[in-house]
Amino acid sequence: MYKIGLTGGIGSGKTRVADMLAEWGAALIDTDEISHALTAPGGAAMPAIRDAFGAAAVTADGALDRAWMRDLVFRQPEARARLEAVLHPLIGLHTARAAETAQGTYLVFVVPLLVESGRWRDRVDRICVVDCDPETQVARVQARSGLTEPAIRRIMAAQAARATRLAAADDVIVNDGATSAEQLRARAKALHDRWCRLATASRRPPHSAAGFPE
C-alpha cells in the first residue's frame, strides 16, 4: 500500500485530519492510540513500566499515571529514555501487525513524534505535516486538557521545532487559528485526492511490515 506519515505538534489538529482521511477511505494506524492501549489498565506495557519506575507510576486501576510520568520526564530527562525503551519496541510491533492487515485506498501512519524519531523517512512514501502557530497550539491544548500554559510549552519544547517539522514535510496542511473547519476539510481533501492518484500510479514493491518504529 502507498504509505503516508502524518504528524504535527501537539494541538495542531492532526487527529482531526486523520479522521477525515479515514472517512474518505484511507486506512489509519495511530501510534498514539496504540501507546494508550499499551498503558491502559491491563496493557501489555504496564508490567515493564512498573518494574522500571515503581508503583508510583501506576494508577489505582492499573494504568500509567500520565501526570506523574509527565512530571518525571521533565524533571529527569533520562526517565524519558527509560520509558521509550519500554514503549517503542511494543508500539513498533503493534504497528507492524496492524499494517499487515490494513485495507484502504492508502495507509496513513499517525505519528506524533515522526520527525523526532528520525526513523520514518524510509518507511513511508510521503510525510505530511499539519502545521499551526505556537499560540494556537497552546490555546487548543488548554481548551481540551486544562493543562497550564507553562506545562504545554514544556511539551512543545520537547517536540521538534516547527521549522524542523516543515523541513521534513513533503506535504503541509495549514491549520492555524485563522483556518475554518471548511478550509481545513478542503485542504485535507485536496491532498487526499492527490494521494489517491499517487497510490493508483504507484507500482513499487510493498515495504515489509516488520520493524516499524514508533
Side-chain angles (χ1 to χ4, degrees):
M1 294 179 71
Y2 199 78
K3 299 176 177 67
I4 305 296
L6 182 68
T7 193
I10 185 172
S12 63
K14 59 185 172 295
T15 299
R16 190 174 180 186
V17 169
D19 289 343
M20 294 177 191
L21 299 176
E23 174 190 339
W24 298 324
L28 204 66
I29 298 175
D30 190 325
T31 61
D32 211 25
E33 290 184 0
I34 291 172
S35 176
H36 276 75
L38 290 169
T39 55
M46 291 313 301
I49 288 175
R50 183 185 288 272
D51 289 344
F53 295 97
V58 184
T59 63
D61 63 354
L64 173 66
D65 188 327
R66 295 184 175 278
W68 183 91
M69 185 62 71
R70 184 167 52 244
D71 180 66
L72 178 68
V73 299
F74 283 127
R75 289 187 291 105
Q76 301 179 20
E78 71 278 5
R80 180 184 298 275
R82 280 192 286 147
L83 180 63
E84 290 175 348
V86 172
L87 283 178
H88 285 192
L90 287 170
I91 293 172
L93 176 63
H94 284 258
T95 299
R97 288 175 177 171
E100 289 174 353
T101 58
Q103 295 185 6
T105 311
Y106 55 87
L107 178 55
V108 178
F109 296 98
V110 187
V111 188
L113 301 181
L114 182 148
V115 173
E116 292 84 343
S117 76
R119 298 191 296 272
W120 276 91
R121 176 72 273 178
D122 62 348
R123 303 286 184 175
V124 296
D125 296 288
R126 299 185 73 82
I127 291 173
C128 178
V129 169
V130 182
D131 178 61
C132 73
D133 57 279
E135 291 71 24
T136 300
Q137 288 181 261
V138 171
R140 287 176 180 160
V141 178
Q142 278 187 312
R144 78 186 187 202
S145 70
L147 290 174
T148 64
E149 181 173 345
I152 297 167
R153 291 197 179 273
R154 285 197 300 268
I155 294 171
M156 292 166 60
Q159 297 182 337
R162 184 183 186 186
T164 302
R165 277 195 301 270
L166 290 173
D170 299 297
D171 302 298
V172 176
I173 298 176
V174 175
N175 186 30
D176 57 19
T179 302
S180 68
E182 294 76 14
Q183 287 172 321
L184 178 62
R185 191 171 181 87
R187 291 166 185 171
K189 187 59 163 62
L191 277 178
H192 165 76
D193 291 343
R194 182 183 183 193
W195 295 335
C196 286
R197 292 192 296 270
L198 290 171
T200 299
S202 176
R203 294 295 182 265
R204 302 173 190 171
H207 294 292
S208 169
F212 276 105
E214 195 276 337

